[in-house]
Amino acid sequence: MSGPPCSGKSTVGAALADALTTAGHGRIHLEVDALFELLFPQSDRNRDDRLRAYAGAHLLARMFVDGGETVVLECTYARRDQRASLLEALAGSAAPLWVVEFFVTPDEAVSRFRERRQATDLDEALVRERAEAFPYFDDARRMQSSSGTPEEHAQSIVRWLRQDPLPVDQEAWAQAGRGWN
C-alpha cells in the first residue's frame, strides 16, 4: 500500500490485515513509520535512516512471504530507492507484488495532517507538496481515500485480490518513483 502522507494507508492497512485474517489468510501488517520509530527513535528522519527503515520492513516482509504469509506492507513509496529496496528484498521470490495506491487531494491531506497527534518531521507545506507530486503508477490499484471508510476500502481490496489481479511490473513500478531532490 502506498500513497502520500495522510492518504489513509495506515488505517486501511490495519483494516485490510483484519479482513484478511477473517478470510483465513495470515495477518501480517508492516508499517514503515512504526518500524522507523522503533528502530530510530532519536532520528532526524534523514535519508539514510529512512532507507534503512524501508530495508528493515522489506526484509521482514520477505521473511513472512517465504513462510507463506500474505503481507500488507504500508509505506509511502514515493522514491525510486524505496521501491528498489522492496524489489531487492523480493528478488528470487515467486510472490506476486500488488500495489494499492491511495489518492488524496492536497487540501484533504492537510486537513488530516492537522488532526494528527503524532511526532513527525512534516509540516502542512510538505504534506501539500507530497500530495501534489506523488508519483502514481498507472498499473496500480488506485483508491480515492475519501470515498469510503477504511473497512469499506479493505473489503474492496479483498474482493479485488480474490479476482487474482495481475501483479505490477516491478521494474516499471520502481522506475516510476521520484528521485531525491
Side-chain angles (χ1 to χ4, degrees):
M1 302 179 73
S2 72
C6 303
S7 62
K9 300 178 302 291
S10 296
T11 52
V12 174
L16 179 58
D18 287 343
L20 290 173
T21 296
T22 60
H25 301 310
R27 176 195 145 96
I28 307 297
H29 177 213
L30 297 174
E31 296 178 74
V32 165
D33 285 347
L35 188 58
F36 189 99
E37 289 301 317
L38 179 68
L39 295 173
F40 307 107
Q42 303 302 318
S43 176
D44 62 358
R45 301 184 78 79
N46 63 70
R47 178 182 174 191
D48 289 339
D49 286 352
R50 286 176 192 270
L51 288 175
R52 290 189 300 170
Y54 272 82
H58 298 153
L59 290 173
L60 281 171
R62 176 62 189 255
M63 179 186 74
F64 288 119
V65 164
D66 286 350
E69 300 287 348
T70 298
V71 177
V72 176
L73 182 59
E74 177 260 303
C75 311
T76 303
Y77 287 122
R79 307 291 182 181
R80 279 189 294 273
D81 291 354
Q82 296 162 340
R83 295 176 182 196
S85 171
L86 177 58
L87 302 190
E88 182 179 322
L90 292 177
S93 171
L97 175 63
W98 295 294
V99 177
V100 177
E101 293 178 333
F102 286 84
F103 174 80
V104 64
T105 67
D107 289 341
E108 178 81 15
V110 169
S111 175
R112 291 176 180 185
F113 177 75
R114 289 178 182 149
E115 296 172 7
R116 282 190 171 180
R117 300 289 178 247
Q118 67 190 53
T120 181
D121 61 329
L122 298 173
D123 60 26
E124 290 182 18
L126 281 173
V127 168
R128 180 174 297 284
E129 181 274 327
R130 291 180 181 170
E132 289 172 346
F134 188 81
Y136 292 100
F137 185 64
D138 288 340
D139 293 336
R141 166 86 173 181
R142 184 91 35 88
M143 309 218 51
Q144 173 79 31
S145 65
S146 63
S147 69
T149 67
E151 293 75 19
E152 290 168 338
H153 288 309
Q155 288 304 316
S156 174
I157 294 167
V158 168
R159 285 190 301 274
W160 173 67
L161 290 171
R162 285 183 182 149
Q163 296 172 10
D164 199 26
L166 290 175
V168 298
D169 177 320
Q170 294 180 7
E171 292 299 324
W173 175 70
Q175 288 305 310
R178 295 173 53 198
W180 292 88
N181 298 343

